[in-house]
Amino acid sequence: NNFVILSVGRLEKIKGHGYLLDSLPDILKSVPNCKVVIVGGGREKENLIRRAKDLNVSDFVEFKGEVSHEDLPKFFRQADVFVMPSLSEGFGIACIEAMAFGLPTVASDVGGIADILEHKKTGLLVSPSNPKEISNAVISIHNDSKLRSALSGNAKERSRQFDWNKIASLVNEVYREATHA
């Protein structure tokens, strides 16, 4: 019955989980049956737990800690939307994994994420450090079934371009060309 918002990543300031928590009071006004599930461990865990308490949203947040890669699919399957509120991101593997599961994704427009997500096509990009944009994006996905369905299908299709075998083959081809030039 819950609308599950999933975030996966190290619990470090750079990952921006605090901004997701800051967005939750606004989300709850429109989506009172939502729950945030945060998967990952790190130095910020106690600060994030305290922040959730200070915002009076701790009843709506679950910190799952570190989980094995084999157990991650269970969390992706149970989620309705994936949020990656990073302040900086090199590549965003968790984002690609969420897309592969067909999860509508909200992510900060930083680093390599913009190379993965196409705004309003394969996900929704938000400004970093902006809880209001995060809440608006999550609420839009919740309220608009056509948008949710389109993002889901397009994300799944886009994620196929990041298949490790394809990437390895492309890298191999680049090396082959470089050594024959």
Side-chain angles (χ1 to χ4, degrees):
N1 288 342
N2 286 327
F3 182 79
V4 178
I5 301 165
L6 176 65
S7 191
V8 176
R10 293 183 332 269
L11 301 184
E12 304 294 336
K13 284 186 181 184
I14 198 80
K15 293 296 186 177
H17 291 101
Y19 298 105
L20 172 56
L21 295 178
D22 291 344
S23 74
L24 193 50
D26 274 348
I27 294 169
L28 285 165
K29 290 175 189 171
S30 294
V31 189
N33 66 325
C34 81
K35 174 174 74 169
V36 173
V37 175
I38 298 176
V39 175
R43 295 179 295 204
E44 283 296 301
K45 183 175 183 179
E46 294 306 315
N47 290 335
L48 292 169
I49 290 170
R50 194 169 27 259
R51 194 169 188 162
K53 284 181 185 171
D54 291 346
L55 292 165
N56 293 316
V57 297
S58 54
D59 290 344
F60 303 93
V61 181
E62 292 182 22
F63 292 92
K64 295 297 188 178
E66 290 184 50
V67 301
S68 70
H69 197 72
E70 293 78 27
D71 289 337
L72 270 177
K74 173 180 83 172
F75 293 97
F76 286 117
R77 283 189 200 100
Q78 294 172 349
D80 294 291
V81 64
F82 181 79
V83 177
M84 182 175 258
S86 296
L87 305 178
S88 176
E89 195 68 49
F91 187 60
I93 290 174
C95 189
I96 294 170
E97 290 172 332
M99 291 168 63
F101 279 91
L103 278 176
T105 298
V106 175
S108 299
D109 190 2
V110 296
I113 292 175
D115 295 327
I116 298 167
L117 280 182
E118 185 178 342
H119 186 59
K120 294 186 178 178
K121 184 173 181 190
T122 61
L124 298 179
L125 292 169
V126 297
S127 301
S129 312
N130 196 320
K132 187 66 180 166
E133 285 188 27
I134 293 169
S135 64
N136 288 343
V138 169
I139 291 166
S140 291
I141 289 169
H142 175 270
N143 291 344
D144 188 340
S145 61
K146 286 184 180 178
L147 173 65
R148 192 169 52 249
S149 179
L151 293 177
S152 176
N154 292 338
K156 211 171 203 176
E157 182 64 34
R158 173 82 170 119
S159 72
R160 291 186 182 112
Q161 295 175 6
F162 297 98
D163 175 84
W164 288 116
N165 291 326
K166 279 186 183 178
I167 292 170
S169 178
L170 290 170
V171 169
N172 193 27
E173 185 61 31
V174 168
Y175 282 129
R176 209 170 326 165
E177 287 178 16
T179 58
H180 291 78

